[in-house]
Amino acid sequence: MDISGTTRFGQTIQVPRPLELKTAQQREPASDLLDALRTGPFEAALDSAVRASGLSLERIQHRLAERGVEISVTTLSYWRRGRSRPERPQSRQAVRLLEELLGIPTDGLVSLLGPRRPRGRWVNRDSEVLESERLWPEFVSLPGLLAELDSTDDGLLRVAAHDQYELNAQGTGARLTTRLTLKATRDGVDRCVVILHGEDPDTALPEFTNVRNARLGRLRSDRSVPLVVAELFLDRTLSEGGTTLIEYTLRFPESGRRAEECGRGFNAPALLYTLEVAFHPDTVPVRCRRCFSAAVTGEPMSAELVWISASGRAHAVFENPGPGFRALRWEWH
């Protein structure tokens, strides 16, 4: 699993803000919202509640943060559009607070989610291996994209990985160069499946260039996230235990939102992951942290400050990374 670049965005709706005039208990949900709460699905009810409240997603995020729950505007937007669902305990806590903030009866939204989906490890698989869907748990379109490539497991371990991410003067991603050391876990492995989470759903998808020891195969995408699944055909078929090295560069559109993160998800333990980020000298963030989370969209379980050099570069070395997401995340002025 390769790159996740996140931004925060939302739409401001200029209508009266009833939450600032009445408490949630004093307001009665509109009829269309009541219909959505009765019939679902979750995203339709949430969208109707947000529109009825007159609150922007940024304002909702701020109010959640005041209650101690940190949820990005991007995540709220995905929930509202049905591109992901609240699954983690903190996400479900946020939904309960949303019910209060938006004036929805208790359990009105939570009941539409149903029981939590099974998480964690594959049944009858190595206890140190995670499914792609578990590493990327809130991207509901991912299983379908993987199914179109006829695989949820390419049979390769990422033994070592090196990512070099370069940003332009606007703070958006310019290119990402990736080098992977791969090991086959079964016979007959002939391709590597790459999952990419882009930075801006309103810009064009990145272009694969300078592919070495492989060639680009099929691409499947969900432009609204954006999410891309690509297959890279190896130069030779590997038997179990066989290894190969591949390299490729992703070139991003010149325009787009500022990037705030770059990182990689691992399904299984690796030996080494190194990540370099080169900021443009005219656009350097105020601070940068190396982070670990259990899933690509998860809140960091650890975050340590990382030095940004005078030339605008930062790096992180992750030795023996286990399953989960490792990244550098930064804050702009």
Side-chain angles (χ1 to χ4, degrees), residues 39-113:
T39 61
F42 169 81
E43 57 269 20
L46 177 60
D47 178 65
S48 182
V50 170
R51 286 187 286 106
S53 75
L55 293 172
S56 68
L57 294 185
E58 288 88 349
R59 185 62 177 166
I60 292 173
Q61 179 203 31
H62 177 71
R63 293 190 175 192
L64 290 174
E66 289 179 335
R67 304 291 186 90
V69 175
E70 297 289 341
I71 297 292
S72 71
V73 173
T74 300
T75 297
L76 290 172
S77 178
Y78 290 164
W79 292 354
R80 186 180 179 184
R81 292 150 56 197
R83 296 302 174 184
S84 65
R85 290 172 64 84
E87 290 290 336
R88 301 187 310 276
Q90 185 172 13
S91 297
R92 296 242 170 174
Q93 180 186 357
V95 173
R96 292 197 178 278
L97 284 177
L98 282 172
E99 292 173 348
E100 177 183 346
L101 294 174
L102 301 177
I104 297 172
T106 302
D107 292 332
L109 287 175
V110 171
S111 63
L112 296 175
L113 292 173

Side-chain angles (χ1 to χ4, degrees), residues 291-295 298-303 329:
C291 302
F292 164 71
S293 56
E299 288 76 17
M301 300 172 64
S302 65
R329 297 176 179 174

